[in-house]
Amino acid sequence: MTPITHDVLIVGAGAAGLTLALELARRNLSFRLVEKLEHPFAGSRGKGIQPRTQEIFEDLGVIDRLVAAGGLYPPQRVYREDGTFEDSPSIASTDVRPGEPYNLPLMVPQFLTERVLRERLRELGHAPEFACELTAFEQGDDGVTARLAGPRGDEVLRVRYLVGADGGRSFVRRALGIGFEGKTLGVRAVVADLLLHGLGRDAWHRFNDGSMERQMSLCPLAGTELFQLQAPVPMQGEVAVTAAALNDMVASRTGRDNIVIDEVRWASVYEMNARLADRYRVGRALLIGDAAHTHPPTGGQGLNTSIQDACNLAWKLDAVLRGAPASLLDTYEEERRPIAAEMLGMATRLLREASQGPMRRGREVKQLDIGYAGSSLALDRCAGGRAVAAGDRAPDALCRGAGGLPRRLFELFRGTHWTLLCHGPLDAASAPPARAGLHMHVVGETGDILDVHGEFRAHYGVEPGDWVLVRPDGYIGAMLPAGEAVALETYLGAVGLGGAAA
């Protein structure tokens, strides 16, 4: 039998596969990342980076690079029949809450986002293998045997786990026999990245909002010289995407002859779907990203949901590979599949609104309120009515280190470890012993972290003696009052942190 050579084989090097690879790389796990395309994806398709995903990218060390690569969304400029127009914000900037360092989505064309992720992955000593395709696989009790065809020729390798991040037409999903229920939404559209002249880059230009026959938008892509064209097209028939054909469309739908497309860099014609995999896991094979859920583009949820899939799965794979119960992987589907269903419903609703007039995106698209309150990994023994509960996203807070320098909670969380915040004073007799993979901080007058602004107490609603356990993906795993050391120890054991460090 072929010996096991890697912990994980990731199939698909888009945003989800790259994020999972980064998470595994910084955990020093062995993996291969393969992609059947010969070259990196070249289109702008998923261009919105929501605030919750920005928090993840801060943790991965790439948020500043992504901000530099892209920018904020311009205002929407909706044109009337007489050629006049009205500007309005593309994204509502209201409802700014404490503990949320990022409030507005970034616009970063997908090819730039993936480029930044590949660069970060190379810094960690890894790279995707392009023109390398998974052609077959079979599972055993201790691993997966996979067959690849690529630059190395045909090869067979064995890995502990296989992750399909290979898109809406996922080979992995189909080979596993997993259903992909949902529907075609009755909308076909063209999206294209263009060089053009005749429009300013100060607005997202929208024409004929509310008309599915003549609607069209031209959005300047931050960080590039390109515009992204989006327009519904008839469900049947060929749709040409040459510069000449798209120039005809622009002239017809705008009534202007001074907007001229000079070059088409990338284009796609597609039918919008909302589909969700019946299962996310079969044995040692799992699905993330578009392989598990496909979204209409409205609301900018697909890429963001996919990246958060990867973050949820990565720490669980790491824990199981290091000895945690394999059943921990069941919580991946338990937590992420309902979130995908919720995001699909919202994106479909926004698509319906867009067919009737200008679409307004509110707080719900930011994904800051997503949580796992009903998860089997959410342990809460504190009184109700607090600011947050187990399963919620862990808020940021500005504090000060005992050494005198400012400290953010997000700095304490950054990395692959769990974080235990003890709201002092700490009872040394009941405190859990130190162990690998768990960082502990005492927040209080005699602790290493000082809550000088009162933000920690306000954002978490903690009382003296309370413990807050934060997962590696930035969600609260447990909230416990003083004296619950046995419950905390049991929880830590269940997620692979049961052994105290020598």
Side-chain angles (χ1 to χ4, degrees):
M1 178 179 290
T2 304
I4 288 178
T5 57
H6 296 83
D7 293 319
V8 183
L9 172 64
I10 307 170
V11 182
L18 286 165
T19 301
L20 181 61
L22 280 169
E23 291 282 13
L24 299 185
R26 63 182 188 156
R27 288 171 167 83
N28 295 314
L29 295 176
S30 172
F31 67 90
R32 282 181 66 177
L33 172 62
V34 300
E35 169 58 61
K36 70 177 183 180
L37 295 178
E38 294 185 2
H39 306 286
F41 176 68
S44 64
R45 188 162 48 203
K47 64 181 183 295
I49 308 295
Q50 300 296 346
R52 175 61 189 134
T53 307
Q54 292 173 48
E55 295 178 352
I56 291 170
F57 284 155
E58 178 187 333
D59 184 60
L60 289 172
V62 296
I63 185 60
D64 293 330
R65 302 182 199 186
L66 283 164
V67 173
L72 296 177
Y73 276 73
Q76 293 187 97
R77 179 165 296 168
V78 178
Y79 290 85
R80 305 183 183 96
E81 290 290 337
D82 62 2
T84 62
F85 58 81
E86 180 180 356
D87 286 356
S88 63
S90 296
I91 311 293
S93 61
T94 57
D95 201 14
V96 180
R97 300 182 186 179
E100 298 175 356
Y102 306 100
N103 181 54
L104 292 173
L106 288 173
M107 180 197 290
V108 188
Q110 187 170 335
F111 67 88
L112 290 181
T113 296
E114 293 181 5
R115 180 187 301 172
V116 168
L117 296 179
R118 286 194 303 274
E119 290 171 353
R120 179 67 180 133
L121 188 60
R122 281 196 292 272
E123 292 172 354
L124 297 177
H126 299 271
E129 301 173 42
F130 289 97
C132 187
E133 182 175 5
L134 176 70
T135 59
F137 66 90
E138 56 188 23
Q139 301 196 52
D141 292 338
D142 63 345
V144 180
T145 301
R147 290 169 173 79
L148 301 177
R152 305 182 188 186
D154 294 340
E155 59 178 312
V156 177
L157 74 157
R158 279 179 54 77
V159 296
R160 300 290 184 193
Y161 289 95
L162 168 70
V163 179
D166 48 343
R169 299 176 181 176
S170 169
F171 171 80
V172 174
R173 186 190 65 241
R174 288 184 280 114
L176 292 170
I178 295 176
F180 202 40
E181 298 301 319
K183 58 184 178 181
T184 299
L185 299 174
V187 178
R188 190 178 181 218
V190 60
V191 57
D193 297 344
L194 314 168
L195 287 174
L196 61 77
H197 62 270
L199 278 179
R201 300 187 62 86
D202 59 335
W204 184 345
H205 305 273
R206 306 183 65 92
F207 302 87
N208 310 307
D209 271 0
S211 168
M212 293 305 287
E213 291 75 31
R214 301 185 64 242
Q215 188 179 122
M216 187 185 69
S217 74
L218 289 162
C219 180
L221 289 171
T224 77
E225 56 184 349
L226 302 170
F227 279 78
Q228 184 192 68
L229 179 148
Q230 291 180 307
V233 295
M235 291 294 293
Q236 305 297 327
E238 293 294 322
V239 177
V241 291
T242 62
L246 294 179
N247 267 318
D248 289 343
M249 175 188 288
V250 169
S252 171
R253 298 195 185 193
T254 66
R256 293 169 55 172
D257 59 8
N258 64 333
I259 304 172
V260 179
I261 296 169
D262 301 305
E263 182 182 345
V264 179
R265 290 282 180 87
W266 171 82
S268 175
V269 180
Y270 67 101
E271 291 185 25
M272 296 186 190
N273 288 275
R275 298 190 181 276
L276 181 62
D278 293 343
R279 301 177 64 184
Y280 277 24
R281 178 191 177 202
V282 176
R284 291 177 171 269
L286 303 104
L287 304 175
I288 63 172
D290 287 353
H293 44 79
T294 58
H295 304 243
T298 41
Q301 301 302 296
L303 179 142
N304 295 272
T305 303
S306 299
I307 287 168
Q308 292 171 53
D309 286 347
C311 293
N312 185 288
L313 178 59
W315 72 261
K316 296 172 183 178
L317 277 172
D318 181 39
V320 170
L321 287 164
R322 298 183 191 281
S327 58
L328 181 62
L329 292 176
D330 292 333
T331 67
Y332 165 61
E333 177 180 323
E334 175 195 350
E335 293 184 339
R336 292 304 302 168
R337 191 173 183 275
I339 298 300
E342 181 182 344
M343 296 300 100
L344 283 168
M346 179 180 65
T348 303
R349 174 178 57 80
L350 290 173
L351 176 63
R352 187 168 57 250
E353 292 177 5
S355 69
Q356 300 167 356
M359 181 179 61
R360 293 289 181 264
R361 306 180 186 187
R363 180 177 173 84
E364 71 273 15
V365 303
K366 300 177 182 180
Q367 300 199 353
L368 291 167
D369 299 324
I370 288 173
Y372 310 122
S375 168
S376 57
L377 293 181
L379 173 63
D380 204 318
R381 298 283 181 85
C382 292
R386 300 195 178 196
V388 293
D392 290 346
R393 165 192 162 275
D396 197 6
L398 181 61
C399 301
R400 190 173 72 213
L405 296 179
R407 298 296 299 274
R408 292 169 58 212
L409 290 188
F410 276 16
E411 294 176 43
L412 307 184
F413 302 159
R414 186 176 302 146
T416 63
H417 58 271
W418 291 71
T419 306
L420 183 64
L421 303 174
C422 310
H423 191 209
L426 178 66
D427 179 1
S430 63
R435 69 202 67 204
L438 178 66
H439 294 190
M440 293 188 289
H441 301 276
V442 176
V443 185
E445 294 181 359
T446 58
D448 60 310
I449 301 296
L450 308 179
D451 189 21
V452 289
H453 307 290
E455 291 188 7
F456 171 62
R457 183 165 185 174
H459 297 175
Y460 286 79
V462 289
E463 300 294 338
D466 284 351
W467 292 333
V468 179
L469 180 66
V470 180
R471 301 171 7 166
D473 57 358
Y475 289 87
I476 299 171
M479 293 191 74
L480 301 167
E484 291 279 2
V486 173
L488 176 60
E489 199 65 46
T490 301
Y491 185 99
L492 293 174
V495 296
L497 293 177

